[in-house]
C-alpha cells in the first residue's frame, strides 16, 4: 500500500488481477448552499459591482474553502445567461481539524428598504456618535459615525458603521448576511457620496463599516455640500438581508 502525507486516498495493487485499487481514508465532505428566494436574490444584485454571493468558510479535506455563486454568470470574464459557481481555496492545509459536513440554507431574503438620519452638531462629536435605533427587516439597527475616521481611515476619511443591536438568535451556526449601500447626502446638489456595507453578522454582534466613506477634506469643504449648518445626513439602503443556518 502506498500513500503520501496529507492525501485522503491510499492505493494498493491486486496481484491476482494486476489492477490498482484506490481506498478513500476519509469520508466524503459535503457542503450545501441552498438559496430559497433565488429570484429575489438575483434581482437584488443585478448591475451591482459585486454581483455575486460568497458563502461562509468551510473546511473539507484539511483545507478552508468558500463557494462563490454568480446568479447572472461571471460577467467580468464574459459569462452570461447562466449561473456560474466557483469553489475557492482560501488557505493551505489545516492540521488537526475535522472534515466539515454542513448545510447553508437561506431562511429569508428581503430587499430594498432605506433609513435616513441627520447627525446634528457634527463638529461637537469628539469620537463617535450613534443614531437612534431603527427597525429594518425585522431587526434593530443603529448607524455609528466617526467624524475623524476609524482604523485605516483614521484622520483620512469619514467612517460609518452599521451595527446590529440584537444577535441573541444568531446561535448554533446561524449568521446574518447583509448587503447595503450607504450614502452621505449632498445638501447643495444631487451629487451623492456612497459606498457599500456588506458582510456577515454573527453572535458576537460586531458592526460592519464603510471605512473610507468620504474624505475629510471633502467633508469639511463648504463648497462640496456634504456638511451644512453643522449637519451631516446619512442614508442606508438595505438591498439584501438573509438569515442562514449552517449545521
Amino acid at each position: 500500500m502506498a500513500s503520501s502525507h496529507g492525501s485522503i486516498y491510499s492505493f494498493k495493487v491486486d496481484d491476482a488481477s494486476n489492477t490498482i485499487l484506490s481506498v478513500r481514508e476519509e469520508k466524503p465532505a459535503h457542503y450545501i448552499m441552498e438559496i430559497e428566494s433565488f429570484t429575489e436574490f438575483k434581482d437584488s444584485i443585478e448591475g451591482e459591482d459585486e454581483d455575486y454571493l460568497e458563502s461562509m468558510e468551510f473546511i473539507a479535506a484539511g483545507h478552508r474553502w468558500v463557494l462563490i455563486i454568480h446568479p447572472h454568470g461571471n460577467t467580468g470574464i464574459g459569462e452570461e445567461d447562466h449561473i456560474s459557481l466557483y469553489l475557492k481555496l482560501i488557505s493551505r492545509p489545516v492540521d488537526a481539524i475535522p472534515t466539515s459536513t454542513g448545510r447553508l440554507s437561506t431562511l429569508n431574503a428581503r430587499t430594498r428598504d432605506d433609513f435616513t438620519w441627520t447627525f446634528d452638531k457634527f463638529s461637537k462629536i469628539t469620537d463617535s456618535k450613534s443614531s437612534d435605533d431603527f427597525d429594518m427587516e425585522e431587526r434593530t439597527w443603529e448607524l455609528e459615525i466617526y467624524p475623524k475616521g476609524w482604523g485605516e481611515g483614521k484622520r483620512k476619511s469619514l467612517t460609518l458603521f452599521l451595527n446590529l443591536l440584537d444577535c441573541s438568535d444568531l446561535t448554533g451556526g446561524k449568521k446574518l448576511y447583509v448587503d447595503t449601500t450607504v450614502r452621505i447626502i449632498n445638501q447643495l446638489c444631487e451629487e451623492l457620496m456612497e459606498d457599500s456595507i456588506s458582510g456577515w453578522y454573527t453572535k458576537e454582534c460586531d458592526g460592519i463599516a464603510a471605512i473610507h466613506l468620504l474624505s475629510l477634506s471633502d467633508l469639511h469643504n463648504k463648497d462640496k455640500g456634504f456638511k451644512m449648518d453643522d449637519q451631516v445626513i446619512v442614508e442606508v439602503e438595505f438591498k439584501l438581508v438573509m438569515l442562514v443556518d449552517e449545521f
Side-chain angles (χ1 to χ4, degrees), residues 85-138:
L85 182 64
Y86 293 83
L87 177 63
K88 181 180 178 181
L89 175 65
I90 62 172
S91 77
R92 296 180 178 181
V94 180
D95 294 329
I97 299 180
T99 300
S100 171
T101 301
R103 181 182 182 88
L104 173 64
S105 62
T106 305
L107 302 183
N108 59 46
R110 302 174 182 273
T111 59
R112 305 296 179 185
D113 288 306
D114 56 58
F115 171 79
T116 303
W117 181 258
T118 300
F119 288 93
D120 296 311
K121 300 179 181 179
F122 193 78
S123 62
K124 303 296 183 182
I125 303 174
T126 56
D127 181 33
S128 68
K129 185 176 181 179
S130 298
S131 71
D132 285 353
D133 302 352
F134 63 96
D135 293 329
M136 194 70 66
E137 305 300 341
E138 302 178 358

Side-chain angles (χ1 to χ4, degrees), residues 6-96:
S7 175
I8 62 174
Y9 289 94
S10 61
F11 303 91
K12 64 180 180 180
V13 178
D14 187 330
D15 295 329
S17 61
N18 199 29
T19 58
I20 299 176
L21 304 177
S22 65
V23 179
R24 187 181 184 102
E25 297 177 341
E26 296 182 12
K27 66 180 181 179
H30 299 84
Y31 193 85
I32 301 172
M33 182 165 68
E34 178 183 337
I35 302 176
E36 294 179 355
S37 303
F38 184 79
T39 300
E40 190 172 4
F41 159 64
K42 180 180 178 182
D43 292 343
S44 71
I45 64 173
E46 185 173 8
E48 298 291 334
D49 292 336
E50 296 185 356
D51 57 349
Y52 60 87
L53 176 66
E54 186 171 298
S55 77
M56 294 177 288
E57 296 181 14
F58 61 95
I59 299 170
H63 293 73
R64 294 184 183 275
W65 312 80
V66 293
L67 287 173
I68 302 173
I69 184 170
H70 295 258
H72 299 277
N74 188 349
T75 56
I77 60 173
E79 297 177 352
E80 297 181 359
D81 301 325
H82 61 272
I83 298 172
S84 298
L85 182 64
Y86 293 83
L87 177 63
K88 181 180 178 181
L89 175 65
I90 62 172
S91 77
R92 296 180 178 181
V94 180
D95 294 329

Side-chain angles (χ1 to χ4, degrees), residues 150-183:
W150 180 91
E152 295 178 358
K154 191 73 171 181
R155 294 185 291 275
K156 299 177 183 178
S157 308
L158 179 71
T159 297
L160 184 71
F161 274 82
L162 176 62
N163 296 327
L164 176 60
L165 298 185
D166 184 7
C167 305
S168 59
D169 67 325
L170 299 182
T171 59
K174 290 183 180 179
K175 296 185 180 183
L176 189 74
Y177 180 81
V178 176
D179 183 20
T180 72
T181 296
V182 290
R183 305 180 179 93

Side-chain angles (χ1 to χ4, degrees), residues 180-200:
T180 72
T181 296
V182 290
R183 305 180 179 93
I184 302 295
I185 303 300
N186 192 309
Q187 301 177 55
L188 291 180
C189 63
E190 295 182 357
E191 179 187 0
L192 296 173
M193 185 61 65
E194 65 179 33
D195 199 352
S196 64
I197 293 180
S198 61
W200 296 99

